[in-house]
């Protein structure tokens, strides 16, 4: 019989009925330590009491009114995001892909608004992932995702991630912007160095380009700063966020400086659901926790603990684990064995992780993870590696 859900995913035959913090409970009653966090979405883990309370009390009042009217919850979330970033305004949508689409449109509109309608091309990087819409796939130019879908949409030029010389050579009179993930997620937890990100800022300033960051995976506290680019001490002109922003509620946004958003006037962009009262109430509740005194500092401290222990494992099991990559609680284990097989063995041991490109296994615990849970996860990885090494 045909699967009633279109079979576009290679699903693991496992379903969950309940989650609590960093734990997930499967329908067969088995408990898993969730270091996948819905692919960096469940920033506050599962069923966080503050977020549950915000969602349920808003659900009894008002869900959706459309953007024909003022939405105070959205305004408040936008003001708070701006107060804690480079941005002066925010557009809300429902997913990461839409947020990426937004920054691309914003960049083109910016140049049009400033008398350069010919500047429409966007430079992107190898290994990128920006979502699954037609434009986002064309931007990332990953042959695996484009196969069978015909010619890519024009307007993108791709260069090697981390290579500023190649980047400069790709700039022409039609270049509008540079779009980049400060830390590539799907691409295999490849972090752009601080020098590379500063270089991008300098190039954009020199050529009058907009710097567009895709912080859909690395933003919202994941690296121990609210936004990953803060570590490099530079700011973009516009940025796409999603994933952790709603903590599991589908919520995306793009944020921009006043100058970059100058062309985004009434009627230029829209969304039916984007920024609705229910979604933005949840977003505000997530932000309440992320902005609590000491929360991000705790992420940095816990991340250092996790990283050190993972580094130790790479030394003890070099035939299985090659290196630790990434920043904060966005870590990658580059594997010497097939990453899918390691992920599967870890799952059997009770630990959920996410495979990525370059034979990497992503370690993405919820930001509320506790030291004891980090130790438990590392213990499970250690035992799995030890058994594997013994058998080999
Ligand atoms: C997940 C992701 C996207 C796409 O987000 P969706 O919500 O799946 O549309 C885009 N860019 C990056 C960096 C991501 O990690």
């Amino acid at each position: 019989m045909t699967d009633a859900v279109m079979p576009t995913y290679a699903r693991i035959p496992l379903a969950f009925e309940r989650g609590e913090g960093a734990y997930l409970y499967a329908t067969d009653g088995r408990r898993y330590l969730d270091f996948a966090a819905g692919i960096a979405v469940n920033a506050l883990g599962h069923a966080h009491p503050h977020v549950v309370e915000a969602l349920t009390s808003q659900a009894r009042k008002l869900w959706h009114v459309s953007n024909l009217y003022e939405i105070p919850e959205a305004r408040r979330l936008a003001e708070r995001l701006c107060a804690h970033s480079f941005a002066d305004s925010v557009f809300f949508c429902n997913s990461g892909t839409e947020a990426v689409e937004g920054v691309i449109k914003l960049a083109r509109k910016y140049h049009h608004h400033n008398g350069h309608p010919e500047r429409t091309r966007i430079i992107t990087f190898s290994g990128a992932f920006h979502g699954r819409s037609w434009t986002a796939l064309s931007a990332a130019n990953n042959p695996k995702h484009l196969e069978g879908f015909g010619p890519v949409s024009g307007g993108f030029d791709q260069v090697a991630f981390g290579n500023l010389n190649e980047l400069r050579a790709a700039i022409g009179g039609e270049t509008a912007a540079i779009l980049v993930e400060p830390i590539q997620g799907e691409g295999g937890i490849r972090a752009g160095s601080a020098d590379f990100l500063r270089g991008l800022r300098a190039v954009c300033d020199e050529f009058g380009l907009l710097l567009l960051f895709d912080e859909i995976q690395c933003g919202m506290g994941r690296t121990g700063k609210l936004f990953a680019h803060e570590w490099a001490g530079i700011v973009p002109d516009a940025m796409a966020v999603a994933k952790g922003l709603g903590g599991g509620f589908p919520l995306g946004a793009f944020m921009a400086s006043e100058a970059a958003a100058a062309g985004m006037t009434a009627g230029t962009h829209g969304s039916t659901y984007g920024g609705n009262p229910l979604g933005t109430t949840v977003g505000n509740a997530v932000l309440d926790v992320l902005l609590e005194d000491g929360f991000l500092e705790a992420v940095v401290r816990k991340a250092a603990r996790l990283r050190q222990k993972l580094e130790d494992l790479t030394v003890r099991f070099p035939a299985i684990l090659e290196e630790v990559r990434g920043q904060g609680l966005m870590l990658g284990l580059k594997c010497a064995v097939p990453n899918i097989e390691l992920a599967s063995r870890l799952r059997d041991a009770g630990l959920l992780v996410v495979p990525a490109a370059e034979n990497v296994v992503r370690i993405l615990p919820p930001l509320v993870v506790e030291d004891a849970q980090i130790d438990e996860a590392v213990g499970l990885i250690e035992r799995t590696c030890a058994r594997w090494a013994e058998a080999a």
Side-chain angles (χ1 to χ4, degrees), residues 12-325:
I12 294 151
L14 182 62
F16 304 98
E17 62 182 11
R18 188 166 70 82
E20 195 185 326
Y23 292 106
L24 272 174
Y25 296 83
T27 46
D28 66 1
R30 182 154 187 218
R31 188 179 82 164
Y32 291 84
L33 193 47
D34 182 13
F35 275 36
I39 317 184
V41 167
N42 304 104
L44 304 183
H46 301 282
H48 190 285
H50 180 65
V51 182
V52 170
E53 171 53 31
L55 178 108
T56 49
S57 66
Q58 183 62 38
R60 277 183 227 106
K61 290 193 289 189
L62 189 65
W63 294 21
H64 177 84
V65 293
S66 90
N67 288 298
L68 292 171
Y69 310 103
E70 288 290 336
I71 301 176
E73 298 82 4
R75 187 171 291 281
R76 175 160 178 263
L77 181 56
E79 283 168 359
R80 296 173 80 197
L81 287 170
C82 290
H84 289 90
S85 73
F86 71 95
D88 298 306
S89 67
V90 180
F91 179 96
F92 291 109
C93 51
N94 315 288
S95 68
T97 304
E98 289 169 272
V100 165
E101 185 82 27
V103 293
I104 291 169
K105 283 183 69 177
L106 172 140
R108 288 182 163 203
K109 193 74 173 177
Y110 166 85
H111 289 292
H112 187 273
H113 182 81
N114 288 300
H116 289 284
E118 76 286 1
R119 297 182 78 164
T120 58
R121 301 193 69 82
I122 310 232
I123 297 177
T124 63
F125 295 90
S126 56
F129 180 75
H130 297 299
R132 295 287 199 137
S133 72
W134 184 238
T135 320
L137 287 179
S138 302
N141 200 33
N142 180 340
K144 238 172 63 187
H145 292 162
L146 287 160
E147 166 75 36
F149 291 107
V152 293
S153 91
F156 298 100
D157 299 299
Q158 193 163 68
V159 301
F161 186 60
N163 189 329
L164 287 169
N165 291 331
E166 207 182 308
L167 168 78
R168 293 181 83 94
I171 296 169
E174 293 179 10
T175 307
I178 295 171
L179 170 63
V180 66
E181 297 155 85
I183 304 175
Q184 289 188 343
E186 307 300 311
I189 310 290
R190 301 202 298 165
S193 69
D195 279 347
F196 173 59
L197 296 178
R198 288 183 203 126
L200 292 180
R201 180 69 270 173
V203 165
C204 284
D205 292 344
E206 182 182 342
F207 292 93
L209 313 179
L210 292 191
L211 182 56
L212 312 175
F213 281 163
D214 177 346
E215 289 225 16
I216 290 164
Q217 195 161 149
C218 62
M220 301 317 294
R222 178 85 4 221
T223 65
K225 299 267 191 204
L226 194 56
F227 301 109
H229 66 261
E230 293 173 36
W231 291 105
I234 46 108
V235 296
D237 300 293
M239 176 170 72
V241 291
K243 293 202 164 97
L245 178 64
F249 194 96
L251 183 60
F254 62 95
M255 313 169 44
S257 69
E258 187 177 1
M264 303 303 283
T265 52
T268 54
H269 196 48
S271 163
T272 298
Y273 296 120
N276 84 9
L278 195 56
T280 47
T281 293
V282 173
N284 273 308
V286 171
L287 204 55
D288 289 343
V289 178
L290 296 185
L291 296 178
E292 266 170 18
D293 251 357
F295 185 89
L296 293 174
E297 289 79 358
V299 169
V300 171
R301 189 187 52 71
K302 290 184 283 194
R305 180 187 187 92
L306 175 57
R307 193 187 186 107
Q308 184 56 56
K309 287 172 183 276
L310 293 175
E311 300 272 10
D312 292 346
L313 293 184
T314 62
V315 175
R316 281 185 50 202
F317 302 105
I320 297 171
L321 307 175
E322 269 179 27
E323 66 164 346
V324 183
R325 305 170 160 191

